[in-house]
Amino acid sequence: MDLVESSERPRLSLVLPVLDEAATVARHLAALQALRARGAELLVVDGGSSDGTADLARPAVDRLIDSPRGRAVQMNAGASASRGDVLLFLHADTMLPPAADELIHRAIAAGASWGRFDVRIDGRHRLLRVVERMMNWRSRLTGIATGDQAIFVRRDVFLAVGAYPELPLMEDIALSKRLRQVAPPACLRESVTTSGRRWEKRGVLRTIVLMWRLRAGYFLGADPQTLAVRYGYLPRQR
């Protein structure tokens, strides 16, 4: 995969995959404008939204990219079009801390090849506090990061490991396993805030159990496509 070359690269490129996020995309992008003002590049990669997400995003980004649906496919498309020395992959329902760019630059300057933030889940259910603590603790213990934790990586390292494996599910786990072979992650204690909507929609306890089963299946060699269907992902051709 070839990334766009430029003699005037931004230090940081944010890659945001979206699909039918019209209800929240404008608010989310508004929160990222301060980073753009400080020189970060913002790319939104639309996977075929049918609700006007792309039109809402266009005025607030440096590049709007059309892509086949699939989070890994979309993130790779964004990376291919990016110019930054460091790539930050951000889910559409995750908000960064205000100084995220400086925190990342400090980690990279200190020698990190890649890393992630701690995560806080937005929601009132008491079990969500347990979930976020377990996610952060597990990540430190295993060197595996999830997409909810806003993975960042040096551009050259991302290329060296072959980018995101284009899986329908667990692409973040697969990338982390590749990156972990290069170096352990920088585990930043500052938190991103991710929406609790998927836990609350299905039921928090039910979602916890489902995710444990899916991750266990993945590590035991189950087909990611089968796991994605169990999660509720329905591939769509464009």
Side-chain angles (χ1 to χ4, degrees):
M1 181 179 70
D2 296 326
L3 299 191
V4 174
E5 297 296 332
S6 171
S7 60
E8 298 182 355
R9 290 179 182 168
R11 295 171 68 191
L12 179 67
S13 292
L14 286 76
V15 178
L16 181 72
V18 297
L19 179 68
D20 293 335
E21 295 286 349
T24 59
V25 69
R27 176 174 60 87
H28 192 183
L29 294 177
L32 298 174
Q33 297 311 300
L35 276 71
R36 288 184 74 202
R38 294 196 293 269
E41 177 187 43
L42 177 56
L43 303 93
V44 164
V45 188
D46 185 66
S49 297
S50 59
D51 64 350
T53 294
D55 291 334
L56 291 168
R58 188 172 285 107
V61 301
D62 295 292
R63 294 199 65 178
L64 178 67
I65 300 162
D66 292 323
S67 166
R69 175 181 175 178
R71 186 172 277 162
V73 175
Q74 289 171 242
M75 289 189 292
N76 284 342
S80 293
S82 73
R83 299 183 299 119
D85 294 319
V86 179
L87 306 175
L88 170 61
F89 298 98
L90 185 65
H91 286 185
D93 59 359
T94 300
M95 304 293 286
L96 293 170
D101 50 351
E102 185 58 32
L103 294 168
I104 291 169
H105 296 323
R106 287 179 190 172
I108 296 296
S113 297
W114 71 290
R116 68 12 159 225
F117 291 84
D118 273 2
V119 66
R120 179 187 176 279
I121 302 172
D122 185 22
R124 295 185 177 181
H125 199 293
R126 287 179 295 177
L127 279 178
L128 293 177
R129 307 287 76 80
V130 177
V131 173
E132 64 194 26
R133 292 190 191 103
M134 290 297 293
M135 288 174 65
N136 297 329
W137 175 80
R138 183 182 64 234
S139 180
R140 284 191 173 82
L141 181 66
T142 65
I144 297 293
T146 68
D148 290 325
Q149 293 172 303
I151 295 172
F152 59 89
V153 57
R154 274 178 19 208
R155 173 191 182 99
D156 59 330
V157 174
F158 183 73
L159 285 175
V161 301
Y164 272 97
E166 294 190 347
L167 306 174
L169 194 68
M170 304 294 177
E171 76 288 336
D172 48 0
I173 306 298
L175 178 67
S176 293
K177 291 172 70 174
R178 292 180 177 184
L179 291 171
R180 189 178 59 181
Q181 295 178 0
V182 176
C187 296
L188 304 189
R189 292 192 177 275
E190 293 80 4
S191 293
V192 298
T193 301
T194 194
S195 171
R197 62 185 179 181
R198 73 174 182 267
W199 283 278
E200 293 171 343
K201 180 179 179 180
R202 298 181 177 184
V204 175
L205 183 58
R206 181 181 178 186
T207 303
I208 292 171
V209 173
L210 174 63
M211 294 307 299
W212 281 351
R213 292 179 64 183
L214 293 176
R215 286 196 180 96
Y218 176 74
F219 281 108
L220 291 173
D223 175 36
Q225 181 65 54
T226 300
L227 297 177
V229 171
R230 290 179 188 170
Y231 184 66
Y233 173 79
L234 298 175
R236 182 172 70 191
Q237 300 296 325
R238 291 193 64 202

